[in-house]
Amino acid sequence: MTIIKGHICYSTDKDTLHTVENGYLVCERGKVKRVYESLPEEFEGIPIEDYGDRLIIPGLVDLHMHAPQYAFRGLGMDMELLDWLEAHTFPEEAKYKDLAYAREAYTYFVEDLKGGATTRACIFGTVHKEATTLLMELLEDAGIGAMVGKVNMDRNSPEYLCEESAEASALATVEWLEGIKDRFTLVKPILTPRFIPTCSDALMERLKDIQKQYKLPMQSHLSENQGEIAWVQELCPDTRFYGEAYAKFGMFGGDCPTVMAHCVSSNEAELALMKKNNVFIAHCPQSNENLSSGIAPVRKFLDMGIPTGLGCDVAGGHVTSIFRAMADAIQVSKLRWRLVDDTLKPLTVEEAFYMATMGGGAFFGKIGSFLEGYEFDAVVLDDTNLPHPQKLTVKERLERIVYFSDDRNIYDKYVSGVRTKR
């Protein structure tokens, strides 16, 4: 049993941020037992980790990031998506065939995550099965809970990176899955077709068979960029909208737990199918700004009841901080409300925090809150470097940390009840 004490903040739903000053968070066998304002006698004699005036929040959840792109963050930010992929992404990802290079680059990426507030993440690797396994090993050693995918792509990609056939891509995926079976506790595989333009129908058919056999969740991209959407329509003329290009292969929610990044320009029919199938949306505001993709209507997602979380989308996004993603999500929602559609009100701090914790965490199960039975993922925040002349409430202190987005505020971390080292 673990007991920690401090100013505790967590979501109970999208509109409610619950705070307990000088509260006690009691956890047993890696799961939350309860939050108490005062500690009951039944726990007398159990050691308490007292964090004093610090804040304690659930670990943050990143629903979309590309580990091999970490090395070129901040480059090509004046380009749109498809040109950016050709100029920066594909040449960089080809380098991960070299395991020595992959180890160095992935170590930088994992060390950044380890020092940040993210405790769970959905992560793209590359087409290289050995490098993807290495990434999983590094994440496991760092105590980070993750779903990691070997990327599939067999068309419309540079020759130096494109897998030679649907059969070859599927075979490499099965070999990767068999090679990692039962090896990890915190890190799990996720099926990862890059996006429809780089995945043939033949490959998607094979991936669906793999999904059924191994009972895998799936991650990909959806309706991010206008040029991308038009391209998908050309490639898939039998579909009414982008999402149907996944759905026709049975990989769009339902029996296949699915998270789709972006959804900036999803139409009403696409959103309705996502709601019906419980498809998660990974809202990546910084990436959508950098690559000129637009502003996703997140208010609509939430009002419709579509499960929604946040993603940094490195390297479309230039930092890995989900605190920054919270602030960006609020800010771009204000611009959308003011300049595009005044019927969709801006996001609140409570809603952004919910998406970063409980909302996105639901893709992993009971993750992202301190309600009873949730996994004990926690981050301890020290804001003494943010002095203020007045006494602030716990919520006000948390809001400032969100907007300042500074990893120096992260004092301690727990994942599934285990204290991780920074």
Side-chain angles (χ1 to χ4, degrees):
M1 185 170 286
T2 301
I3 302 176
I4 61 177
K5 182 183 179 184
H7 303 310
I8 301 170
C9 319
Y10 61 100
S11 296
T12 55
D13 57 52
K14 72 179 180 66
D15 300 310
T16 308
L17 176 64
H18 189 61
T19 63
V20 180
E21 292 191 42
N22 297 306
Y24 298 85
L25 176 56
V26 179
C27 306
E28 190 171 20
R29 297 184 180 90
K31 302 289 180 64
V32 174
K33 188 174 179 66
R34 194 171 164 185
V35 173
Y36 296 92
E37 292 185 6
S38 59
L39 200 62
E41 289 183 4
E42 65 184 284
F43 302 115
E44 186 176 344
I46 297 173
I48 298 171
E49 183 70 44
D50 189 346
Y51 286 107
D53 194 43
R54 298 182 180 92
L55 278 60
I56 302 170
I57 66 170
L60 303 188
V61 179
D62 192 323
L63 283 185
H64 185 67
M65 60 198 322
H66 294 260
Q69 296 178 16
Y70 181 85
F72 67 91
R73 292 175 305 147
L75 297 176
M77 298 287 92
D78 55 349
M79 307 175 80
E80 289 194 44
L81 173 67
L82 299 180
D83 292 336
W84 179 79
L85 289 173
E86 292 289 340
H88 291 279
T89 301
F90 293 150
E92 176 64 26
E93 291 192 8
K95 298 174 184 176
Y96 289 74
K97 183 177 181 180
D98 179 351
L99 270 183
Y101 182 87
R103 181 175 294 279
E104 181 178 7
Y106 279 154
T107 296
Y108 296 147
F109 166 74
V110 171
E111 285 300 309
D112 188 332
L113 280 192
K114 187 176 177 182
T118 298
T119 56
R120 306 276 173 163
C122 291
I123 303 174
F124 280 56
T126 64
V127 297
H128 312 100
K129 60 187 180 183
E130 295 86 359
T132 303
T133 299
L134 171 62
L135 172 60
M136 298 175 81
E137 292 169 350
L138 293 172
L139 289 163
E140 181 83 13
D141 290 344
I144 297 167
M147 294 185 187
V148 176
K150 175 212 162 295
V151 171
N152 298 100
M153 45 196 293
D154 71 331
R155 68 174 179 180
N156 297 324
S157 308
E159 184 177 344
Y160 57 77
L161 188 62
C162 189
E163 295 174 292
E164 64 182 37
S165 66
E167 294 84 355
S169 179
L171 177 60
T173 301
V174 170
E175 291 174 344
W176 164 64
L177 290 169
E178 288 296 321
I180 62 170
K181 187 180 291 185
D182 301 324
R183 284 189 55 189
F184 304 108
T185 301
L186 287 173
V187 182
K188 305 296 182 184
I190 184 169
L191 203 63
T192 307
R194 182 178 214 108
F195 65 159
I196 289 296
T198 61
C199 296
S200 67
D201 285 1
L203 175 55
M204 294 296 286
E205 288 281 5
R206 285 166 173 79
L207 292 180
K208 180 53 186 175
D209 291 339
I210 293 171
Q211 190 276 323
K212 287 181 176 178
Q213 179 182 352
Y214 290 89
K215 297 180 172 56
L216 295 174
M218 194 274 275
Q219 62 179 349
S220 196
H221 301 83
L222 183 67
S223 300
E224 177 180 0
N225 172 276
Q226 293 296 330
E228 169 207 20
I229 294 169
W231 193 11
V232 170
Q233 192 59 56
E234 291 177 12
L235 293 168
C236 307
D238 59 328
T239 60
R240 295 173 299 150
F241 50 85
Y242 195 161
E244 279 195 343
Y246 296 104
K248 71 178 184 178
F249 298 105
M251 289 194 291
F252 200 64
D255 292 334
C256 176
T258 300
V259 58
M260 288 288 175
H262 305 298
C263 305
V264 173
S265 299
S266 293
N267 61 26
E268 295 294 337
E270 187 163 88
L271 292 176
L273 185 58
M274 297 181 83
K275 176 178 171 59
K276 177 183 176 182
N277 290 357
N278 204 43
V279 174
F280 278 69
I281 294 175
H283 176 41
C284 307
Q286 189 176 92
S287 172
N288 297 335
E289 293 174 88
N290 285 337
L291 299 178
S292 303
S293 297
I295 305 172
V298 182
R299 166 65 58 216
K300 181 179 288 188
F301 303 160
L302 296 178
D303 288 350
M304 288 181 66
I306 298 172
T308 305
L310 296 175
C312 73
D313 193 24
V314 160
H318 52 270
V319 297
T320 61
S321 171
I322 295 298
F323 283 128
R324 175 62 187 269
M326 286 187 236
D328 284 341
I330 296 167
Q331 290 171 317
V332 299
S333 75
K334 292 175 183 177
L335 291 176
R336 198 178 199 285
W337 169 65
R338 180 62 69 193
L339 302 176
V340 180
D341 183 354
D342 64 7
T343 69
L344 297 179
K345 295 298 184 183
L347 295 175
T348 64
V349 172
E350 288 87 349
E351 289 168 326
F353 186 79
Y354 168 83
M355 289 192 294
T357 54
M358 194 177 190
F363 189 69
F364 290 81
K366 283 192 169 185
I367 297 289
S369 181
F370 293 146
L371 294 172
E372 183 179 356
Y374 273 66
E375 293 282 335
F376 176 32
D377 288 9
V379 176
V380 181
L381 304 171
D382 186 335
D383 60 351
T384 52
N385 67 322
L386 304 174
H388 196 279
Q390 303 167 22
K391 181 175 174 57
L392 300 177
T393 66
V394 170
K395 180 191 169 184
E396 288 170 336
R397 291 170 61 187
L398 177 60
E399 185 173 3
R400 294 217 308 161
I401 290 173
V402 167
Y403 276 96
F404 291 131
S405 307
D406 191 338
D407 283 350
R408 288 178 298 174
N409 298 126
I410 298 160
Y411 184 82
D412 215 344
K413 288 173 68 172
Y414 296 81
V415 179
S416 287
V418 178
R419 191 176 189 175
T420 62
K421 302 297 184 183
R422 291 191 61 207

